[in-house]
């Protein structure tokens, strides 16, 4: 199951598989350039951050993260897109 929530409708992102327990695939509706990726837990803490990412598809390893609900935020030149996923 893929999850996609585009809060500003400018750059939809999808995350799969969802739920996940290892690698997570992220696909951006538009190519990213010098973007920032953040994974945030429900307490609002940033648990993973990558800077200067570029392209339209990425793989992130979430195996070290605790089980729970997380939000993925992509900031691409001030355009912020968010989606939610579950870590098993």
């Amino acid at each position: 199951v893929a999850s996609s929530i585009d809060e500003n409708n400018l750059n939809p992102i999808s995350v799969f598989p969802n739920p996940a327990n290892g690698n997570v695939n992220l696909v951006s509706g538009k190519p990213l350039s010098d973007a920032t990726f953040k994974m945030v837990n429900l307490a609002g803490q940033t648990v993973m951050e990558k800077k200067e990412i570029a392209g339209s598809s990425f793989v992130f390893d979430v195996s070290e993260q605790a089980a729970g609900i997380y939000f993925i935020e992509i900031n691409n030149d001030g355009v912020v897109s968010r989606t939610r996923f579950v870590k098993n």
Side-chain angles (χ1 to χ4, degrees), residues 46-67:
T46 299
V47 296
M48 184 185 299
E49 184 171 10
K50 309 260 185 208
K51 296 185 178 185
E52 299 178 2
I53 61 172
S56 59
S57 64
F58 312 92
V59 177
F60 297 99
D61 181 6
V62 297
S63 62
E64 299 295 318
Q65 303 303 324

Side-chain angles (χ1 to χ4, degrees), residues 2-50:
S3 175
S4 178
I5 300 171
D6 183 23
E7 291 187 349
N8 56 25
N9 213 12
L10 295 174
N11 187 21
I13 56 175
S14 297
V15 175
F16 58 92
N18 191 5
N21 58 14
N23 286 334
V24 172
N25 299 285
L26 184 141
V27 177
S28 173
K30 296 181 181 177
L32 304 175
S33 174
D34 196 27
T36 301
F37 160 92
K38 285 186 183 179
M39 189 167 98
V40 180
N41 65 19
L42 285 180
Q45 300 166 315
T46 299
V47 296
M48 184 185 299
E49 184 171 10
K50 309 260 185 208

